Amino acid sequence: MEKNNESLHILRHSTSHILAQAVQSLFPQAKLAIGPSIENGFYYDFDLTDGHAFSEDDLVKIQDKMIEIVKQNLTFEQYLIEDVEVKISEFKSQGEIYKAELLEEHKNDNPTLYLTKDKSGNFLFNDLCAGPHVPNTTYIKAFKLLKVAGAYWRGDEKNKMLQRIYATAFWTKDDLKAHLDFLEEAEKRDHRKLGTQLDLFSIREEVGGGLVLWHPNLATVREEIENYWRCEHRKRGYQIVNTPHIAKSHLWDISGHTSHYRDNMYFIQDEDQEYVLKPMNCPFHILIYQANRYSYRSLPLRLAELGTVYRNERSGALAGLSRVKGFTQDDAHIFCTPEQLIDEINAIIDFVSDTLSMFGMTFDVELSTRPESYVGTIDNWDKAEEGLKKALDVKGMKYEINEGDGAFYGPKIDFKLKDAIGRTWQGATIQLDFNLPERFGIKYQDSDGQLKTPIMLHRVIFGSMERFMGILIEHYAGSFPTWLAPTQVCIVPISNEKHTDFAQKVYEKLNAEGIRVKLDDRSESMNYKIREALQDKKIPYVAVIGDKEIEANAVAIRARGKGQIGVFAIDEFIVKLAQEIKSKGHEVIG
RNA sequence: GCCGGUGUAGCUCAACGGUAGAGCAACGGUUUUGUAAACCGUAGGUUGUAGGUUCGAUUCCUAUCACCGGCUCCA
């Protein structure tokens, strides 16, 4: 059997059968649901009908049992189900209701069973499965059970919650070890850990889950990114606006939020007037549009805002900076004519792609279509979905279709960013909306003199500042490039007594140039300060100052992760540092 | 919201029925350093919160808040 990526899925799927066999042998009451291969591993869902919950200890026992089964050198054999109805009732009588349900669905697809058989030809276990599998268990050499989690049968929260065991398998022990090492490495990059370690942000119980306190360090990173964002928007023809945090409920009745987004909204009662804490910025931008008359010549109108919104999330959904209740969207709304639409969408795709590639990030694209709860006519929705598809096709971008995942007012193009652990997060999104302009009755005057309804695009590049920072922290593993680093240079005098005066002058000089610099004149050893600055605080540069440097009017530079890189005249260092900062991520010094 | 797990000093962890201990950080002192952890000392906690069981609770039980791994949902 050739050992490539495709066959790895087969190996994993086969290992999942062994997992099921082990579980049923240790827990005869366990009923089998499904056990597919997934990216980086596989899982199997079980219904432990007696309410027992798999523990860490159980995982060890199950893993041992699997090793025992594998050692028996069993063969996998396919078996065609001849009488489906008989097998369904057999499954039912065994209590295998999930298998029965699956077989019922696949009864016209020539369903097969896979059996594991020992050397004497005894069948030990069977599972409804289309296959294929590895020929026998000698192929299964390197696997590990990772974690237990709850999962709804068929992913529907109306169904029973099953217990899912996540695991992984590889062709060799070395491959397995490499993957486990990767997971460990990813854990170190977790933005929540780095957030504490680097004093970036905190989330306090007293404030509430999903509400972020930005510490000075992360606020600095954000400031740099926002400055870049503003500058880039002006270049690309956007105008920047600001809008309030609350508005009367009536505004959200017009937009449709009170009926389609209610569960996510916070309401504020003020005497007999009800207000809503804004979950989105769009209605405000529409009102700004309404303040003036527009013609086809003056469109597109591009309004951008770093708008802070609040959304009530289901309690289990919150996660670090990735999923919060209060967040700032780098939002924009573009009002345009149908003729301008494709160019506008393409310009946004370029904007997203330019921005993400500046950070060296990769992304996948998805097109999300009409959800169950929506406003507007099917005709408008079809037009909108076609428009987005056309724009993506013109760009030649590859994308997946995500049925029913659009916003309630329009379909969207989503850009999925990967975090350190390989989880994907929605970052940038472009949403095409024929509906809100109609609901608010906004118009423009076309070349034929007629008043027409403009098309509206909602879009974000970073998604939210919070989530993007989370991804950024993990992306850089906390070692921000110089332009973003909260502290860019740490000055370390070798002897406080002899060198601090000069170090102070260097500090003032760098500070006057707008460089984020710190002088470490604590009574600590030089080695300690260097280690703390470079390793713990992940500051890009340490400037060491001693007799020789004072003599030469210079600084000895040590760079994060690189060690000593040389002695620079102070002015030369400043020039190079400024170049590096300006380059936004490209290393100049060294 | 659901399933499972976890909340002990600023951080990382220990003790697990007999009223809490370490390392790092902090603070004080000594040291003044030539390139990734100098030395000594001090202080710091109603063990997330509220109830309950018990002679006695950080430890057991219940509720609640928060976090973690997932599911569902989403920027």
Side-chain angles (χ1 to χ4, degrees):
Chain A
M1 190 161 206
E2 206 183 324
K3 292 173 182 176
N4 55 28
N5 268 349
E6 258 168 65
S7 65
L8 190 55
H9 278 287
I10 294 170
L11 172 74
R12 287 170 174 168
H13 187 193
S14 300
T15 314
S16 100
H17 275 241
I18 301 302
L19 168 60
Q21 185 175 339
V23 166
Q24 279 204 324
S25 126
L26 292 168
F27 303 90
Q29 76 279 20
K31 301 304 170 209
L32 307 179
I34 50 167
S37 141
I38 53 174
E39 198 184 358
N40 297 324
F42 64 92
Y43 66 79
Y44 211 110
D45 286 347
F46 302 94
D47 181 358
L48 264 70
T49 46
D50 61 354
H52 177 81
F54 287 131
S55 65
E56 291 289 311
D57 289 347
D58 289 337
L59 281 194
V60 173
K61 282 182 205 145
I62 295 165
Q63 170 123 2
D64 289 346
K65 189 76 187 176
M66 288 171 73
I67 291 167
E68 197 185 310
I69 293 169
V70 165
K71 275 193 188 147
Q72 292 169 37
N73 193 5
L74 308 179
T75 52
F76 283 97
E77 290 192 13
Q78 191 176 29
Y79 169 81
L80 182 72
I81 298 170
E82 275 159 24
D83 192 331
V84 173
E85 293 305 331
V86 168
K87 190 67 197 171
I88 289 175
S89 55
E90 194 185 312
F91 273 141
K92 280 184 180 161
S93 69
Q94 292 166 342
E96 294 285 1
I97 50 172
Y98 306 100
K99 291 294 172 196
E101 190 178 321
L102 291 173
L103 182 53
E104 182 72 38
E105 246 166 66
H106 292 287
K107 60 178 166 190
N108 299 321
D109 309 335
N110 295 320
T112 56
L113 293 178
Y114 263 84
L115 305 97
T116 49
K117 195 167 90 174
D118 69 15
K119 285 174 196 149
S120 352
N122 301 311
F123 294 114
L124 300 179
F125 177 77
N126 78 77
D127 194 354
L128 175 69
C129 181
H133 282 289
V134 293
N136 59 62
T137 58
T138 59
Y139 290 82
I140 300 173
K141 290 182 176 128
F143 61 90
K144 182 160 172 63
L145 303 188
L146 298 171
K147 56 197 173 193
V148 185
Y152 299 107
W153 167 237
R154 319 214 103 179
D156 187 335
E157 62 183 322
K158 290 184 203 83
N159 290 337
K160 182 165 185 182
M161 179 147 286
L162 308 175
Q163 291 191 62
R164 174 171 299 178
I165 294 178
Y166 279 98
T168 193
F170 289 87
W171 288 117
T172 66
K173 292 215 159 92
D174 284 350
D175 287 354
L176 174 63
K177 181 166 185 309
H179 183 250
L180 296 178
D181 288 348
F182 162 78
L183 290 181
E184 209 175 302
E185 200 51 42
E187 226 172 277
K188 285 187 200 149
R189 287 179 169 239
D190 190 312
H191 73 271
R192 292 163 299 189
K193 278 201 169 154
L194 289 169
T196 307
Q197 193 187 317
L198 300 175
D199 193 17
L200 297 174
F201 69 94
S202 55
I203 297 170
R204 292 287 297 268
E205 198 169 335
E206 296 89 323
V207 181
L211 299 165
V212 179
L213 300 171
W214 294 67
H215 295 10
N217 286 337
L218 193 59
T220 302
V221 180
R222 176 170 173 172
E223 186 188 340
E224 286 294 343
I225 294 204
E226 288 187 357
N227 288 344
Y228 166 77
W229 183 92
R230 287 195 185 88
C231 191
E232 203 58 30
H233 275 72
R234 296 221 158 89
K235 275 189 210 161
R236 294 179 194 247
Y238 287 79
Q239 290 171 284
I240 294 173
V241 299
N242 292 293
T243 63
H245 286 80
I246 63 171
K248 289 178 183 173
S249 312
H250 181 60
L251 177 70
W252 308 98
D253 292 339
I254 301 173
S255 66
H257 282 81
T258 44
S259 43
H260 295 274
Y261 208 70
R262 188 171 200 92
D263 291 347
N264 286 294
M265 288 156 55
Y266 289 106
F267 294 85
I268 300 167
Q269 196 62 41
D270 174 22
E271 303 209 346
D272 54 352
Q273 182 61 58
E274 189 181 58
Y275 286 85
V276 169
L277 188 49
K278 71 172 167 183
M280 295 188 192
N281 303 299
C282 31
F284 297 100
H285 292 188
I286 295 174
L287 297 185
I288 291 174
Y289 179 98
Q290 266 185 341
N292 288 291
R293 309 279 295 177
Y294 291 94
S295 78
Y296 72 101
R297 289 169 189 271
S298 52
L299 295 182
L301 176 72
R302 308 183 188 95
L303 299 179
E305 174 179 13
L306 289 161
T308 304
V309 298
Y310 291 87
R311 298 182 186 173
N312 193 4
E313 296 290 346
R314 305 225 270 178
S315 60
L318 303 175
L321 293 177
S322 311
R323 189 75 182 276
V324 290
K325 280 181 178 170
F327 54 99
T328 301
Q329 295 183 299
D330 64 317
D331 210 357
H333 295 94
I334 295 159
F335 302 87
C336 67
T337 69
E339 294 73 30
Q340 296 163 338
L341 182 65
I342 298 295
D343 282 349
E344 285 303 310
I345 296 173
N346 283 332
I348 301 169
I349 293 174
D350 287 342
F351 197 171
V352 171
S353 152
D354 290 351
T355 306
L356 296 181
S357 64
M358 187 183 94
F359 291 101
M361 288 176 177
T362 54
F363 55 88
D364 294 325
V365 180
E366 279 179 11
L367 178 71
S368 297
T369 58
R370 192 180 65 247
E372 274 175 45
S373 174
Y374 65 95
V375 293
T377 62
I378 300 270
D379 188 43
N380 272 348
W381 272 89
D382 289 346
K383 273 199 308 202
E385 286 170 14
E386 273 316 302
L388 289 178
K389 266 185 204 165
K390 199 174 157 199
L392 283 170
D393 291 340
V394 168
K395 277 266 157 217
M397 296 197 84
K398 273 196 198 164
Y399 58 93
E400 305 257 313
I401 297 207
N402 200 354
E403 295 288 350
D405 208 33
F408 74 82
Y409 45 75
K412 56 184 186 169
I413 297 172
D414 288 330
F415 296 78
K416 303 277 179 182
L417 294 175
K418 272 195 182 166
D419 72 8
I421 320 168
R423 291 183 292 204
T424 57
W425 291 98
Q426 184 165 321
T429 172
I430 305 170
Q431 306 174 352
L432 179 45
D433 184 359
F434 285 98
N435 296 308
L436 289 186
E438 266 177 21
R439 293 176 77 97
F440 279 88
I442 56 172
K443 300 286 179 196
Y444 69 97
Q445 190 167 26
D446 205 356
S447 54
D448 59 4
Q450 297 294 304
L451 284 182
K452 294 180 183 166
T453 306
I455 301 169
M456 183 175 175
L457 287 165
H458 310 239
R459 58 105 272 206
V460 286
I461 306 286
F462 297 130
S464 78
M465 298 313 288
E466 285 74 7
R467 179 175 291 178
F468 191 73
M469 291 294 146
I471 290 167
L472 209 58
I473 292 165
E474 301 195 352
H475 181 66
Y476 291 124
S479 294
F480 290 106
T482 309
W483 77 287
L484 296 174
T487 302
Q488 294 165 321
V489 179
C490 179
I491 299 174
V492 174
I494 290 176
S495 156
N496 284 345
E497 288 174 1
K498 290 194 279 177
H499 310 129
T500 300
D501 287 350
F502 185 80
Q504 179 68 31
K505 290 200 185 91
V506 175
Y507 167 83
E508 279 160 18
K509 196 156 187 187
L510 291 177
N511 193 51
E513 295 293 332
I515 290 159
R516 293 187 292 270
V517 57
K518 289 217 164 107
L519 171 60
D520 190 350
D521 56 0
R522 291 174 303 168
S523 173
E524 292 287 353
S525 71
M526 175 186 62
N527 282 331
Y528 178 87
K529 293 179 189 175
I530 289 173
R531 180 189 152 95
E532 185 188 70
L534 296 175
Q535 181 176 301
D536 299 344
K537 294 186 177 165
K538 302 188 191 298
I539 295 170
Y541 296 105
V542 165
V544 176
I545 290 172
D547 291 339
K548 284 185 244 167
E549 286 71 29
I550 295 178
E551 179 81 15
N553 198 35
V555 281
I557 299 300
R558 181 164 270 259
R560 181 181 57 198
K562 284 196 203 140
Q564 281 192 81
I565 54 171
V567 176
F568 295 81
I570 293 169
D571 290 335
E572 184 196 0
F573 179 60
I574 290 174
V575 168
K576 287 203 166 182
L577 199 58
Q579 275 174 19
E580 178 161 314
I581 290 166
K582 199 175 168 203
S583 78
K584 295 190 170 31
H586 296 283
E587 291 179 3
V588 172
I589 301 168

